[in-house]
Every structure is written in C-alpha cells, then in structure tokens.
Amino acid sequence: MLLLWSLLVIFASASEEADWLTLRAPSAVFEGDRIDLICQRKTDKWEIQTMAYYKDGKKLHFSNEVFSFSIPSAVLSDSGSYSCSATVRIYFWYDSKKSNSIKIQVQELFPYPVLTVSAFWPTEGSPVTLTCETQPSPQRSNAQLRYRFFRGGRALASSWSSSPELQLPAVWKEDSGSYWCQAETVTPRVTKQSLQSQILVQRVPVSNVSLDIWAPKGMVIEGESLVLLCSVAEGTGNITFSWHREDTGTSVGRKTQRSLSAEMEVPAVQESDAGRYYCRADNGHEPIQSKVLSICVRSPASRPVFILRVPGAQAMAGDVVELRCEAHRGSPPIMYRFYRENITLQNSLAPFGGGASFNLSLTMEHSGNYSCEADNGLGAQHSEAVTLSISGTRGYRRDRITARVLGALCGGLGFIVAVLLLYCGFHKVSGGHSATDAPRDASSANPQGSIRPSSLPDTEELQPEYVNVNPVDVDVVYSQVWSIQPPEDSANIRRTILENKDSHVIYSNIKET
C-alpha cells in the first residue's frame, strides 16, 4: 500500500509540471543575425538527461551535455516553428518533456539585386553603365552595402566597391557575354547576386579608307624618313591595316590595333622606293582598299663635275672656251651656277636633268680659278676648282704665220722682178728700148719694187720713208716705200702714172699724214 501511494504522488506531481520546459528565441530576426535557442526548465527538481531541438517537427540537434542551440547566420530558409524537448529522470523512471513552440520569421536584410544595363546591344567603342540595384530593409537602414560586377566567371574589378554603378568606357566585340553583380553587407556579412544579363556588342564595318604621306620637310627626300598613314572614317574593334605596292602587289607593312588610323614609318627612304602605293583596312567584315597614291622620291644633287674645254693645248686670249657643269645624280630641275673666283658668270637651268654649259670668249683678264655649283632645292653642291691660265693672243700667232706666207710669196715674186729688171737694164745699155718702156724702166731701176714716175724732174731725189729690204727677221718682209712730194700739177702726174702702169706692177695711193 505504501508503494502504491508513492506512485500516485509522483504521477500527480508530474502532471502538475507539464509546462516546466520553456523555449526562448529572439523576437525579430534578419538575414545574417545569430539565432540562439535556449530551452529552460522551471525547476531543478528533476534531472535532465538529454535535450533536443526541433524545427517544424524535425529534430535539429540532440545533446546530453549542451542545453542550447544557435544558428550563427540566419537565412530566409531558417524561418519556421521551433521547439525543444528533454528527457528527465523522475525518481526511479525516465520521462520526456516538450516545450512550447515559437514561430521565427527571418526577414530580408536587403532584396536580391537586379542588374540593369544602359545598352544591351551597344556599338563597339561606346560606353556601357552597369547598375546593381538593391536597398537595405527600413528596419536596418544603417546596413552598409558594397558591390561587385562580373562577366562570366571573371570579376570586372579586383575589389568590392561602395558604388552600385560600374562605368565601362568602351566595350568591344570580345566584351560580349553574360554579366551579373553581387551585393554584400559588411556586418553581418550577407551576400546576394543578381540574375545574369546578356550584352551583345555590335561591330561597325570599316569605311572610307585613305592613304596619306608625311615627310619632315614637306617632300619625300632620299635618305630621310617617310610616314605612310592609313586611316578609316568609320570602323570599330581591332582593325588590321596593311600597306601595299601596286606594281608588285606585295605587302610592305602590317599592323593590328584598336584605332581609326595606323602609321608605317620608313626610316631612310631610297630612290628605289618611289612608286604607287595603297593600303587596306579590315576589322573582320570585309577588307576595304584606299585609292592609289603616287610617291615621288627626290634625291639631292650630287657633287657636280666641272669641265673647261679650250680649243688648243694652251688657252690664249681670243679663244672661245666651253664651261660645262654636270651632276650625275639628282632630281630635276637643277640650277647650275658658274663662277670665276667666286664671282657668278652664268646661271643655267636644266629642267629635265643632265648638265649645262656656256661659251666664254677669253681675254687676258679671264685668268683665274673656275668652278660651278648644282642646286635642285635640296642643298647646293660645289665642284672642284679648275685653274685657267692665259699666256698670249692667238691672233698674233696667226699674223706671224700670215706674214711668213706672204714673205715667202713676196720673196719668189721679188726674184722674178729682179730677173726682169736685169733683163731690161741690159737692153737699155745696149740702146734697144722704146719710148713705151719708160714706165717699166723707171720701175725696174729700183729692184725692191719702188715706184718712180719718169715724168718727175731729175732734180728731185726720192727719199725712202722705211727701208727693210734685207730684214733680219725672216718671218717679216717689208717693201721699200718712197715718199714723193707732188708738184703743182700732181693730179696730171698721178693720171700719167696710172695710164702707163705695167701689169706686173701694183700701184697704191698713200695718204700722207
């Protein structure tokens, strides 16, 4: 009876303590918050052997040592009905006790971000703005958010940013793809990402391709640099520029870059580089060719060769000499200048290249150093100097030669005259002469060919004005000249002399000064 009574007391006590387990939990929970579940007993009358926690009737945790349960960072899926249970020892047996149920609703700290794009079909080279749109809950308005943007699986920035916008200055064809963003709170750390958005970048074909040249001095000069500039009016993305020579069709240069123009430099252009050129541009649609451009390479004049041609072995006064200047290399037109002792003598233009020359009549004052200069606008070049020495007059030598020839002729004629005079004298001595021989005898009396008319009085003696019958210099032969003082009737005497002239005798009328 005593035992039965004890059991009735125990069961009565147990029924009175049915709600002796109580579950404690936070009243408001946001994402990222910590949830601490504590199952408390109202009395220490009975010893707790084990304890378990439940969510929506499902066991979350079981322990015989720890009588609390925590969720470090709550998420929306942690929302539900929570409770706990304990196994207690009541005197000689064990009993299970359950707590009340608590409804926990985890609230969003901030909604999932939405990625907005300024242009889903942008043109290459244009800017695009990405915006990660979200806001923290009004109950947690002080929550700090930071953002990050991605294309595919690659982050577009190396770190988080406090700005919800990302500006892409220029997008290209290879930038097409899936874009998304992440938003995150610093404390507590809650990270959410947006859905993906497709961006397809459109490429603009190249158009209006042109080829230009640039030279430092405005003209293409041999040995200096030359820049070939290929440009397009429109075109996006990586453009491949190539330069070609028309006569061979071969490519002389190639560049690929993201720009509307490209340059090809020739450090030292040669005369063989002259020709017709064009360029092409291609960004993956279709190659476009420019118009053909002719390139003329001008070469400076080389050092000219100066030649001075004289008619004989030695230059003489009166000679006509030829002065010639020629530069064997150089683009026309070439201006030639001739100098004597740095004094300009002549300017001559060779419009089609080659050399230039002019003739100079020499005087004794023309002795000196002669040179020339060639200039085609790319720098004047000077020749070496040539010395010209003038020793005498070539006309004096010609007079001496003429005198020798005349002397020889006169010598032969004098011999014939002498023979005739001797013959006539012989006949006169012998008395065999006629009246008609008087003029001949008169002329024969002077073997040197002087003239003495017979009508003049014998009292007048003829005085020689210049006598050089037997000259020392055999190169010159002089005739004997007589000076006659005419009487009052000199006119009649002159007429008489002329009427009686012999065909072998030449008379001259000498004016006396």
Side-chain angles (χ1 to χ4, degrees):
M1 286 296 294
L2 180 60
L3 179 61
L4 181 60
W5 175 253
S6 298
L7 291 174
L8 291 173
V9 172
I10 292 173
F11 283 120
S13 300
S15 61
E16 292 176 359
E17 302 292 338
D19 56 349
W20 68 286
L21 285 178
T22 302
L23 180 64
R24 295 183 179 277
S27 58
V29 178
F30 283 87
E31 291 175 301
D33 289 349
R34 179 183 178 89
I35 301 176
D36 292 321
L37 300 176
I38 302 174
C39 197
Q40 294 181 334
R41 57 187 175 177
K42 292 182 180 180
T43 179
D44 296 332
K45 184 176 180 181
W46 298 320
E47 181 183 357
I48 297 177
Q49 299 297 311
T50 61
M51 186 167 289
Y53 289 87
Y54 300 86
K55 177 196 172 189
D56 297 330
K58 293 181 180 180
K59 186 182 292 187
L60 295 176
H61 179 73
F62 176 81
S63 176
N64 56 3
E65 295 180 357
V66 180
F67 301 142
S68 64
F69 176 73
S70 297
I71 300 175
S73 181
V75 296
L76 296 178
S77 59
D78 291 331
S79 299
S81 180
Y82 289 82
S83 63
C84 65
S85 66
T87 302
V88 298
R89 181 179 179 183
I90 302 175
Y91 297 106
F92 305 107
W93 68 86
Y94 295 91
D95 190 13
S96 179
K97 300 295 182 180
K98 295 189 66 176
S99 73
N100 58 315
S101 295
I102 295 178
K103 184 73 172 180
I104 296 177
Q105 181 65 42
V106 180
Q107 302 179 57
E108 277 191 327
L109 183 60
F110 60 91
Y112 279 87
V114 176
L115 179 66
T116 60
V117 182
S118 60
F120 289 97
W121 297 76
T123 301
E124 274 191 315
S126 62
V128 172
T129 302
L130 305 177
T131 305
C132 196
E133 296 182 348
T134 187
Q135 291 291 334
S137 173
Q139 290 83 2
R140 297 289 182 91
S141 59
N142 59 344
Q144 296 181 354
L145 293 173
R146 58 184 184 178
Y147 308 89
R148 205 172 185 185
F149 296 86
F150 297 83
R151 178 171 64 85
R154 184 176 64 87
L156 299 180
S158 59
S159 60
W160 292 87
S161 172
S162 60
S163 174
E165 288 187 356
L166 176 65
Q167 181 75 34
L168 302 178
V171 292
W172 308 100
K173 187 70 174 178
E174 56 270 23
D175 294 328
S176 299
S178 298
Y179 288 77
W180 52 279
C181 71
Q182 283 183 344
E184 179 182 85
T185 55
V186 179
T187 304
R189 180 166 294 183
V190 177
T191 304
K192 295 182 180 181
Q193 74 178 44
S194 69
L195 297 176
Q196 295 187 359
S197 298
Q198 293 293 325
I199 297 179
L200 298 177
V201 183
Q202 305 301 304
R203 173 159 291 179
V204 177
V206 296
S207 61
N208 296 331
V209 182
S210 61
L211 176 63
D212 297 294
I213 63 172
W214 181 85
K217 297 181 180 178
M219 63 179 68
V220 183
I221 301 175
E222 186 180 23
E224 297 191 0
S225 63
L226 170 65
V227 175
L228 300 176
L229 176 64
C230 189
S231 58
V232 299
E234 290 182 328
T236 58
N238 287 332
I239 302 177
T240 299
F241 298 90
S242 58
W243 292 264
H244 305 263
R245 186 162 181 164
E246 186 186 43
D247 54 355
T248 60
T250 57
S251 175
V252 296
R254 185 184 182 91
K255 277 186 179 180
T256 300
Q257 58 190 46
R258 188 173 290 166
S259 66
L260 295 178
S261 63
E263 295 180 353
M264 187 193 76
E265 181 178 4
V266 181
V269 66
Q270 302 298 318
E271 192 173 10
S272 59
D273 294 327
R276 291 164 58 86
Y277 291 81
Y278 62 89
C279 73
R280 286 177 180 167
D282 183 13
N283 65 347
H285 284 268
E286 182 181 358
I288 304 298
Q289 180 174 314
S290 71
K291 293 182 179 179
V292 177
L293 180 66
S294 295
I295 297 178
C296 178
V297 180
R298 290 183 55 81
S299 58
S302 60
R303 189 176 188 182
V305 176
F306 178 70
I307 300 175
L308 200 156
R309 294 191 179 97
V310 297
Q314 176 65 43
M316 308 291 291
D319 286 348
V320 176
V321 297
E322 179 187 6
L323 286 75
R324 181 167 181 80
C325 187
E326 182 173 2
H328 295 293
R329 293 188 72 254
S331 300
I334 302 176
M335 175 63 74
Y336 292 97
R337 300 180 181 90
F338 296 85
Y339 299 94
R340 180 176 68 85
E341 305 293 352
N342 297 324
I343 299 175
T344 303
L345 297 176
Q346 177 89 1
N347 293 336
S348 182
L349 180 65
F352 306 107
S357 60
F358 82 101
N359 295 331
L360 178 66
S361 181
L362 298 180
T363 64
M364 293 299 294
E365 292 77 13
H366 283 147
S367 294
N369 294 320
Y370 288 77
S371 64
C372 72
E373 176 186 88
D375 186 5
N376 65 348
L378 305 179
Q381 297 291 327
H382 298 268
S383 71
E384 294 184 355
V386 175
T387 302
L388 177 65
S389 299
I390 302 174
S391 60
T393 60
R394 194 172 298 277
Y396 172 73
R397 288 193 173 183
R398 284 198 300 268
D399 292 344
R400 293 188 64 186
I401 294 173
T402 303
R404 288 181 181 180
V405 174
L406 292 176
L409 292 176
C410 291
L413 182 61
F415 176 76
I416 296 174
V417 171
V419 172
L420 292 176
L421 290 176
L422 289 176
Y423 175 78
C424 293
F426 176 77
H427 281 275
K428 183 177 181 180
V429 173
S430 60
H433 62 273
S434 62
T436 58
D437 293 335
R440 184 182 302 272
D441 292 342
S443 62
S444 301
N446 189 353
Q448 301 303 321
S450 62
I451 301 170
R452 184 176 182 179
S454 59
S455 59
L456 293 177
D458 293 338
T459 57
E460 275 187 85
E461 292 293 331
L462 300 178
Q463 300 297 327
E465 192 71 23
Y466 185 86
V467 178
N468 190 13
V469 177
N470 296 313
V472 178
D473 190 355
V474 297
D475 292 334
V476 180
V477 179
Y478 292 94
S479 298
Q480 190 172 14
V481 180
W482 298 83
S483 176
I484 303 173
Q485 297 297 329
E488 295 179 356
D489 57 347
S490 59
N492 295 329
I493 295 173
R494 184 180 297 110
R495 184 168 53 253
T496 303
I497 293 173
L498 294 176
E499 290 175 353
N500 295 290
K501 63 185 178 181
D502 187 82
S503 60
H504 296 287
V505 180
I506 299 174
Y507 297 91
S508 297
N509 186 11
I510 301 175
K511 183 178 180 181
E512 188 171 5
T513 60

